[in-house]
């Protein structure tokens, strides 16, 4: 049986397409490895899910924008009491929020300083438990909240939670009341 | 009367001696009474509410030394461990540093490398609340049928971490393991 002889001279590996394929694979693996690293970093943080119930916190951090936030703790009660003459009517929520905004707004540097002071005070004084509630507007990336959480996660005396909400929600809340040593904001 | 009393005393001494002998014969692990206060369920960290916010002053903290669930420890799947190696007998010795990280120093897998690797991988994710630090030892004994012997945790070397707890602070022990498929009846804490 006669077989046709193969001519090997014209058989070559298609190098152009091989190089194309190798580059595509390389780009794919570079991008996916970066993505995996990012998600692994986020996975290290535990962020408890909110519940549809009344909440309690020692510190409320309301993120206003990517540079400023409103820090409300029990000292906000003193601030509201001390400057009550600036609030014409008890039900004037806008005036209350404006007053708190004037007195208790922090920029990013001041917030970092306040958080590190909080940790130092816990380490030095009587051990108290703090629950920090971070409210982040929906239009901001959630990195704004995780940046704060990263600073809190390694302290056993501080717990935290994160909910969605803007300053406007506080402004349009049903009531902002002081009851003894409690500041209550009802949505 | 005297004779009766002497007889009773002799019987009591013989019974006590017999009891003492039985205790001496017992394996060391059986002599330890398991801690009844030990938790079983992973503690759920506080969750924020959305209906309202009550801003109040900080309450005093109850110090509980346990796994830190804020730092996402991975659970050890006991059923998977059993499937991997039914006869696995692994000892992990390490220490908890001042930041609460569990640093593995040595793993004795006694010829069960797959189980050893799985346990090592999981335990590397375990981080503790920073109230205590020092050496800690975990014994994993898959084939045993004896209660409290499947997992034993030796915490005798742990000391209060004075950076986060004062010497006078009372630190309770909480959940020192995170194992799916085991109840607290299978775990013993050696204090």
């Amino acid at each position: 049986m006669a077989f046709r002889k193969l001519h090997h001279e014209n058989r070559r590996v298609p190098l152009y397409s091989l190089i194309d394929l190798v580059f595509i694979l390389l780009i794919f693996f570079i991008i996916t490895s970066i993505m995996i690293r990012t998600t692994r970093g986020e996975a290290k943080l535990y962020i408890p899910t909110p519940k549809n119930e009344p909440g309690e916190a020692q510190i409320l951090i309301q993120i206003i924008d990517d540079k400023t936030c409103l820090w409300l703790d029990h000292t906000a009660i003193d601030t509201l009491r001390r400057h009550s003459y600036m609030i014409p009517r008890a039900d004037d929520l806008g005036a209350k929020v404006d007053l708190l905004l004037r007195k208790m707004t922090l920029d990013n540097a001041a917030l970092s300083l306040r958080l590190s002071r909080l940790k130092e005070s816990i380490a030095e004084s009587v051990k108290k438990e703090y629950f920090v509630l971070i409210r982040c507007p929906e239009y901001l990336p959630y990195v704004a909240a995780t940046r704060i959480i990263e600073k809190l996660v390694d302290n056993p005396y501080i717990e935290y939670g994160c909910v969605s909400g803007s300053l406007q929600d506080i402004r349009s809340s049903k009531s902002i009341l002081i009851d003894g040593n409690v500041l209550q904001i009802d949505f | 009367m005297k004779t009766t009393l002497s007889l009773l005393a002799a019987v009591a001494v013989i019974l006590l001696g017999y009891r003492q002998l039985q205790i001496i014969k017992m394996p060391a692990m059986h002599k330890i009474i398991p801690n009844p206060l030990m938790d079983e369920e992973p503690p759920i960290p506080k969750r924020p509410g959305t209906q309202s916010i009550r801003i109040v002053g900080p309450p005093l903290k109850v110090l509980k030394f346990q796994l830190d669930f804020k730092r996402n420890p991975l659970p050890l799947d006991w059923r998977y461990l059993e499937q991997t190696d039914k006869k696995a007998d692994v000892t992990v010795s390490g220490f908890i540093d001042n930041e609460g990280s569990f640093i593995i120093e040595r793993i004795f897998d006694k010829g069960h490398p797959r189980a050893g690797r799985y346990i090592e991988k999981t335990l590397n994710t375990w981080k503790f609340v920073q109230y205590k630090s020092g050496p800690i030892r975990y014994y994993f004994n898959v084939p045993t049928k004896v209660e409290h012997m499947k997992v034993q945790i030796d915490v005798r070397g742990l000391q209060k971490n004075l950076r986060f707890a004062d010497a006078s602070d009372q630190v309770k022990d909480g959940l020192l393991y995170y194992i799916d498929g085991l109840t607290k009846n299978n775990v013993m804490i050696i204090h």
Side-chain angles (χ1 to χ4, degrees):
Chain A
M1 199 171 166
F3 288 100
R4 194 157 56 90
K5 201 180 173 187
L6 288 170
H7 296 282
H8 292 281
E9 296 88 57
N10 298 328
R11 291 187 164 232
R12 282 179 187 159
V13 179
L15 270 184
Y16 292 120
S17 44
L18 184 74
I19 291 166
D20 273 358
L21 196 72
V22 165
F23 267 105
I24 287 166
L25 282 173
L26 191 69
I27 290 164
F28 172 78
F29 283 118
I30 288 170
I31 291 170
T32 48
S33 67
I34 291 167
M35 282 165 74
I36 285 169
R37 223 177 295 149
T38 319
T39 45
R40 268 185 196 156
E42 283 162 8
K44 281 179 192 167
L45 290 177
Y46 173 82
I47 302 175
T49 49
K51 55 182 178 179
N52 189 21
E53 282 172 23
E56 194 174 278
Q58 277 67 51
I59 297 162
L60 166 67
I61 300 174
Q62 171 65 59
I63 300 170
I64 300 168
D65 53 42
D66 53 357
K67 285 180 187 143
T68 52
C69 66
L70 178 68
W71 173 289
L72 293 183
D73 54 10
H74 62 283
T75 60
I77 299 167
D78 296 334
T79 307
L80 283 172
R81 279 195 182 128
R82 220 178 309 128
H83 299 90
S84 56
Y85 61 90
M86 292 168 80
I87 304 160
R89 292 191 329 273
D91 60 343
D92 190 347
L93 301 183
K96 284 181 186 173
V97 175
D98 286 339
L99 174 64
L100 291 172
L101 269 175
R102 268 201 301 279
K103 300 286 178 192
M104 309 197 83
T105 302
L106 303 173
D107 59 14
N108 284 340
L111 177 68
S112 297
L113 191 67
R114 187 70 72 91
L115 289 172
S116 47
R117 272 194 197 150
L118 174 72
K119 285 189 195 172
E120 280 165 21
S121 73
I122 291 169
E124 286 162 8
S125 66
V126 184
K127 308 294 188 250
K128 286 177 179 168
E129 188 176 1
Y130 289 83
F131 185 81
V132 180
L133 177 64
I134 301 154
R135 294 186 91 239
C136 184
E138 278 173 14
Y139 53 81
L140 282 180
Y142 68 93
V143 180
T146 51
R147 244 183 246 142
I148 299 172
I149 291 171
E150 274 174 352
K151 289 171 188 155
L152 305 173
V153 74
D154 59 346
N155 195 299
Y157 292 91
I158 301 173
E159 299 216 31
Y160 53 78
C162 200
V163 291
S164 153
S166 65
L167 188 68
Q168 193 51 42
D169 298 336
I170 297 179
R171 217 182 267 278
S172 56
S173 59
K174 285 179 200 157
S175 64
I176 300 175
L177 292 171
I178 297 171
D179 181 15
N181 287 325
V182 178
L183 175 68
Q184 173 123 7
I185 303 170
D186 282 320
F187 294 109
Chain B
M1 185 69 181
K2 255 186 183 177
T3 328
T4 321
L5 277 173
S6 314
L7 205 71
L8 280 171
V11 170
V13 167
I14 289 165
L15 284 172
L16 281 170
Y18 176 72
R19 180 178 162 272
Q20 200 60 36
L21 266 174
Q22 290 294 316
I23 289 171
I24 290 164
K25 275 185 195 170
M26 267 169 89
M29 288 303 164
H30 288 200
K31 289 180 197 171
I32 299 156
I33 300 164
N35 183 8
L37 296 170
M38 200 173 70
D39 291 330
E40 189 175 7
E41 291 295 317
I44 302 165
K46 273 188 193 169
R47 292 171 63 197
T50 51
Q51 284 178 8
S52 63
I53 306 164
R54 276 167 57 87
I55 297 170
V56 294
L60 279 175
K61 174 90 178 167
V62 177
L63 306 190
K64 215 170 184 188
F65 175 69
Q66 60 189 352
L67 279 167
D68 190 352
F69 284 83
K70 280 195 294 185
R71 297 196 274 178
N72 275 352
L74 289 179
L76 188 89
D77 189 341
W78 194 259
R79 282 180 207 96
Y80 176 77
L81 191 64
E82 279 175 333
Q83 282 165 12
T84 308
D85 192 338
K86 275 182 190 169
K87 292 183 177 175
D89 182 6
V90 179
T91 303
V92 181
S93 53
F95 70 93
I96 298 170
D97 69 5
N98 287 339
E99 296 305 318
S101 299
F102 178 43
I103 293 151
I104 296 172
E105 284 176 330
R106 285 190 79 179
I107 294 189
F108 305 93
D109 59 22
K110 297 167 195 164
H112 304 276
R114 279 186 71 197
R117 275 198 299 272
Y118 172 62
I119 289 170
E120 183 185 12
K121 197 178 149 194
T122 312
L123 265 61
N124 266 326
T125 67
W126 289 8
K127 287 187 167 58
F128 292 81
V129 179
Q130 301 99 313
Y131 301 133
K132 284 186 183 177
S133 57
I136 187 166
R137 217 170 239 241
Y138 283 85
Y139 304 91
F140 298 91
N141 192 345
V142 177
T144 186
K145 304 275 181 216
V146 184
E147 262 201 2
H148 302 292
M149 292 290 275
K150 284 206 181 276
V151 177
Q152 293 161 59
I153 309 166
D154 185 348
V155 294
R156 286 175 293 185
L158 290 177
Q159 301 278 328
K160 265 183 212 169
N161 181 3
L162 295 177
R163 218 178 114 205
F164 290 95
D166 294 336
S168 57
D169 285 336
Q170 199 197 348
V171 182
K172 290 178 184 173
D173 279 339
L175 194 69
L176 298 173
Y177 59 91
Y178 187 22
I179 303 168
D180 278 348
L182 273 195
T183 61
K184 69 175 174 186
N185 289 339
N186 298 119
V187 183
M188 182 196 284
I189 310 283
I190 305 166
H191 288 278

